[in-house]
Amino acid sequence: MQSKGNELITLAQRIRALNRTALAYSTNEYEIDRSKELIEISDRITSIVSGVEEEEIRACYHPAKEYVTPKVDIRAVIFNRKEEILLVREKSDGRWALPGGWSDVGYTPTEVAVKETKEETGLDVRVVRLLAVLDKRCYSHPSSPFYVYKFCFLCEATGGNDELTFDILDKGFFAPDNLPPLSLDRILPEQIALLDKLRRDPDGSRVYCD
């Protein structure tokens, strides 16, 4: 029974997170009202399952009371038999990056890597192992309003198709020493070189800040 309750709360948190994101991007009044109502429903479900008052639940998410933590960026590292790495061309800046994006509430980090890769490239993958956790502050990325940790997972393609999501212009495999223009907010050439080095080492899983 406890596990069912936890599952319901996780689903409610997922509903809340999706609609908080929708509020950040919506300009349509109907969509804004609908998202706010769904957030209230999420809080109500959480209250019923947990026994915590709705006001207390809402207070946990209020910006004035919220403890600020780093955002988590999940990236999939996929090589083909030619030792080339898979990159996707981002619609936002026309440059290339590893498949991936922000972590989602209700998903494990490995699930995010699989989901984002499928959405962006059409490929089905399995996660082999964690290669690195990179503190974005320790590298020469462009300035960002967020403090970010990057989780980079070595993945292996198992099937799929050539479908691309709406925010991806193209995909392709590239030699690590002959990369296209990279989306430097997302990935740097030296990080790709590091990931290439780590994936060749069976014990190559590190937390990097150097």
Side-chain angles (χ1 to χ4, degrees), residues 46-62:
T46 303
S47 175
I48 291 171
V49 175
S50 67
V52 178
E53 294 294 328
E54 288 182 60
E55 292 78 8
E56 189 174 341
I57 292 167
R58 281 194 290 272
C60 291
Y61 293 99
H62 194 281

Side-chain angles (χ1 to χ4, degrees), residues 44 62 89-90 107 112 118:
R44 180 61 178 156
H62 194 281
R89 190 179 178 201
E90 300 281 348
Y107 290 84
V112 173
K118 180 65 174 179

Side-chain angles (χ1 to χ4, degrees), residues 114-123 163-165 168:
V114 171
K115 179 176 74 72
E116 289 287 328
T117 302
K118 180 65 174 179
E119 290 176 354
E120 293 188 355
T121 72
L123 291 177
E163 293 180 4
L164 299 174
T165 191
I168 298 299

Side-chain angles (χ1 to χ4, degrees), residues 9-83:
I9 289 176
T10 298
L11 289 172
Q13 290 172 335
R14 177 75 178 142
I15 291 169
R16 178 180 243 285
L18 287 170
N19 283 282
R20 283 285 296 271
T21 300
L23 282 177
Y25 293 98
S26 295
T27 56
N28 180 287
E29 288 298 325
Y30 170 74
E31 292 177 353
I32 291 172
D33 289 342
R34 183 176 59 181
S35 293
K36 288 180 177 179
E37 183 177 357
L38 285 168
I39 288 172
E40 292 175 0
I41 291 172
S42 166
D43 293 344
R44 180 61 178 156
I45 292 171
T46 303
S47 175
I48 291 171
V49 175
S50 67
V52 178
E53 294 294 328
E54 288 182 60
E55 292 78 8
E56 189 174 341
I57 292 167
R58 281 194 290 272
C60 291
Y61 293 99
H62 194 281
K65 296 179 180 294
E66 190 172 285
Y67 189 87
V68 178
T69 60
K71 291 177 73 67
V72 177
D73 180 20
I74 306 292
R75 296 289 160 176
V77 182
I78 304 162
F79 282 83
N80 63 13
R81 293 180 180 178
K82 296 180 180 179
E83 304 293 305

Side-chain angles (χ1 to χ4, degrees), residues 79-95:
F79 282 83
N80 63 13
R81 293 180 180 178
K82 296 180 180 179
E83 304 293 305
E84 297 168 326
I85 191 168
L86 178 63
L87 300 176
V88 294
R89 190 179 178 201
E90 300 281 348
K91 186 176 182 179
S92 61
D93 61 6
R95 292 173 174 263

Side-chain angles (χ1 to χ4, degrees), residues 129-175:
R129 58 191 167 96
L130 177 66
L131 286 182
V133 179
L134 306 176
D135 186 332
K136 190 175 179 181
R137 170 183 59 91
C138 299
Y139 294 88
S140 56
H141 292 280
S143 298
S144 168
F146 305 115
Y147 198 103
V148 179
Y149 293 155
K150 292 180 173 289
F151 283 58
C152 301
F153 289 96
L154 180 64
C155 297
E156 180 181 76
T158 60
N161 52 52
D162 291 327
E163 293 180 4
L164 299 174
T165 191
F166 72 94
D167 56 352
I168 298 299
L169 297 174
D170 198 2
K171 66 179 180 182
F173 284 92
F174 300 88

